[in-house]
Amino acid sequence: MIYKTMMLFAVVVGLTFTLFSCTTTQSPTRKKMPNYLNDAAFESGAYFRTNGANKSDAFNLVTNNENILLAGVSVPMISVSLASPMYDDAILNMVAEYKPIAALLLTNWVAQGNNGAVLDFRTVNSNQAMEAQYYLKRAASTSIPVVFRWDKNSAARAQTYMSLLTDVPGIKIIKVN
């Protein structure tokens, strides 16, 4: 009987040592993020604050409804103010990326009930604004007026945006004035 008890005790002790010897004495090293995230330029609490202004406020595209006289006809259009050049690079990259499907996007935009767009680059709303009017035509069925407005401070920016109208697949560009 003592022999069986000692055997049982030895088996239990052996199993206990076996189970505990399989575990590690320290936790494994954890994976860490790359070192470039330690730079303050990448990590900042400013992006997560909700009580102050953040970068998305600067990219606030203010839109208005405006009636524009095109070829003697008043056309209701959406007016977008692009006075700040801060995000021109992002906008120009987005336009270049979507240029191959521009005809489809414009057709869908008109199908949603939109008539045209005014892109206003003026830094100061003044009476000295210059203006260029275009029609974007797609296969004789869709015609969308686009009006560019600028002042002397934003002339180069407006010219850059107007140059994007060239070589748009499936769309014919007609300058009105």
Side-chain angles (χ1 to χ4, degrees):
M1 180 81 168
I2 293 180
Y3 180 71
K4 286 183 182 179
T5 307
M6 288 189 58
M7 267 313 252
L8 183 63
F9 179 73
V11 169
V12 169
V13 169
L15 283 174
T16 304
F17 282 130
T18 304
L19 289 174
F20 285 118
S21 67
C22 291
T23 62
T24 59
T25 56
Q26 65 184 25
S27 60
T29 57
R30 63 185 178 98
K31 295 180 181 179
K32 295 183 179 181
M33 297 298 288
N35 286 336
Y36 65 83
L37 288 178
N38 293 335
D39 186 12
F42 289 100
E43 291 185 23
S44 171
Y47 299 110
F48 303 106
R49 284 189 211 132
T50 57
N51 58 355
N54 58 22
K55 283 194 168 204
S56 66
D57 291 341
F59 194 56
N60 187 6
L61 294 177
V62 179
T63 61
N64 295 314
N65 292 326
E66 187 175 340
N67 287 332
I68 303 293
L69 194 62
L70 291 172
V73 178
S74 181
V75 179
M77 299 173 76
I78 294 175
S79 176
V80 181
S81 176
L82 297 168
S84 174
M86 181 181 259
Y87 287 98
D88 278 353
D89 190 41
I91 293 170
L92 293 173
N93 286 336
M94 186 174 63
V95 168
E97 186 171 330
Y98 287 106
K99 203 172 196 178
I101 59 169
L104 177 64
L105 293 173
L106 290 174
T107 302
N108 289 338
W109 193 65
V110 169
Q112 293 174 357
N114 297 303
N115 296 327
V118 177
L119 302 176
D120 193 351
F121 297 96
R122 295 178 294 175
T123 53
V124 178
N125 284 340
S126 66
N127 293 336
Q128 299 175 355
M130 291 161 269
E131 185 174 284
Q133 298 176 351
Y134 294 90
Y135 276 106
L136 309 180
K137 288 194 173 219
R138 179 176 185 228
S141 63
T142 307
S143 178
I144 303 167
V146 177
V147 178
F148 292 89
R149 283 191 190 138
W150 66 93
D151 56 12
K152 69 176 187 171
N153 294 334
S154 59
R157 291 180 53 231
Q159 186 61 41
T160 301
Y161 278 82
M162 285 187 283
S163 70
L164 294 174
L165 294 179
T166 60
D167 301 328
V168 179
I171 295 180
K172 183 179 177 184
I173 310 300
I174 301 169
K175 186 169 182 175
V176 177
N177 67 352

